[in-house]
Amino acid sequence: MINPVRISYQTVEFGELDIHLCTLRDKQQFSDPDDTAKNLGISSALWPIFGVIWPSSLVLAHYMDEYETHKKRILEIGCGMALSSLLLNKKHVDITATDYHPEVATFLTRNTLLNNDQKIDFERVDWADKSDQLGLFDVIIGSDLLYEDQHIVLLANFIEKHANTHCEVILVDPGRGRKNKITKAMTEFGFEHTHTKPIDTDYLIDDFKGHILKFWR
């Protein structure tokens, strides 16, 4: 970032394990002096969305804290502040993170160093781009990805492109009204599914109205 934005530091606790984060101070921050984000179609209103910790991100990270990785290769889609990736990396899991925002890589590097951990593999990707170098994964995760109806097909196709024959997909949806649409798209690729409410969400300030969407084949 050329122009500074206001930042804050916080620690998210997972039992005995702490994840330290440098984030944007709030959703009012903005810095795009070279129009990098603008040229990618990211408006000033959308620019800060990547840089704060959302409830869905916390739900996903707490779910993954209990998840048995079994040396699986895991991909986080639309990682933003990449809380789940940082947590899994702390546990020495094979994790790759992706996002479209041009500043995510900078914060990911900063936060990885803040936690004294090894570099996390990262690639900036557009779900519609078919030329990424990610490869195939055993588990694909993400939180709060379904902002628009047009994202449904793009997301499902992106997941299918990077899913191994046997793959589990874990998406946390805060209740934007599109869980049934993504489920329909995923079943067309041969995935079974469940929608469950997260339990023990005392780490959230407000009640979580969304679901954990799990798909597998």
Side-chain angles (χ1 to χ4, degrees):
M1 292 173 291
I2 297 175
N3 287 351
V5 292
R6 299 188 71 182
I7 59 174
S8 65
Y9 290 89
Q10 59 184 287
T11 297
V12 182
E13 299 179 0
F14 299 89
E16 298 290 322
L17 193 153
D18 294 335
I19 298 298
H20 308 294
L21 294 158
C22 170
T23 70
L24 296 180
R25 184 172 183 266
D26 52 42
K27 292 177 285 185
Q28 306 305 314
Q29 304 305 309
F30 174 70
S31 178
D32 191 27
D34 298 323
D35 289 338
T36 303
K38 180 180 178 181
N39 293 334
L40 292 172
I42 301 172
S43 68
S44 58
L46 293 176
W47 191 93
I49 297 301
F50 84 97
V52 297
I53 300 297
W54 295 91
S56 294
S57 175
L58 287 166
V59 171
L60 178 62
H62 280 272
Y63 182 87
M64 296 309 296
D65 183 41
E66 302 294 332
Y67 185 84
E68 294 292 337
T69 58
H70 294 303
K71 298 184 179 180
K72 296 175 181 177
R73 188 173 189 231
I74 301 179
L75 173 68
E76 183 174 10
I77 303 175
C79 66
M81 285 288 95
L83 178 58
S84 290
S85 290
L86 290 164
L87 172 65
L88 293 171
N89 191 48
K90 175 69 72 176
K91 295 183 171 188
H92 308 292
V93 174
D94 184 352
I95 178 67
T96 298
T98 66
D99 203 285
Y100 187 55
H101 198 288
E103 294 295 343
V104 166
T106 300
F107 276 88
L108 182 61
T109 298
R110 185 172 190 167
N111 285 326
T112 303
L113 292 172
L114 190 63
N115 286 280
N116 298 311
D117 290 323
Q118 298 296 314
K119 179 181 178 181
I120 295 174
D121 289 337
F122 175 84
E123 187 171 343
R124 194 188 68 79
V125 296
D126 180 345
W127 294 345
D129 187 358
K130 302 184 185 302
S131 62
D132 67 68
Q133 304 299 311
L134 292 168
L136 300 177
F137 294 84
D138 306 303
V139 182
I140 298 175
I141 65 176
S143 61
D144 204 355
L145 303 177
L146 305 174
Y147 282 90
E148 304 289 346
D149 282 344
Q150 59 264 33
H151 294 166
I152 302 296
V153 173
L154 286 174
L155 177 59
N157 286 338
F158 185 82
I159 290 173
E160 170 62 13
K161 176 184 175 183
H162 296 294
N164 271 322
T165 303
H166 299 287
C167 180
E168 184 174 8
V169 180
I170 302 162
L171 305 178
V172 177
D173 178 65
R176 297 188 183 278
R178 296 182 177 88
K179 71 178 189 300
N180 292 333
K181 293 179 181 179
I182 188 63
T183 297
K184 182 177 183 296
M186 293 294 290
T187 56
E188 291 175 357
F189 287 122
F191 285 89
E192 298 182 64
H193 69 275
T194 61
H195 298 171
T196 59
K197 299 288 290 186
I199 54 178
D200 298 329
T201 56
D202 293 343
Y203 51 84
L204 297 177
I205 296 174
D206 299 315
D207 291 339
F208 188 75
K209 299 179 180 179
H211 292 80
I212 299 173
L213 315 182
K214 290 187 281 188
F215 307 92
W216 67 92
R217 68 179 181 193

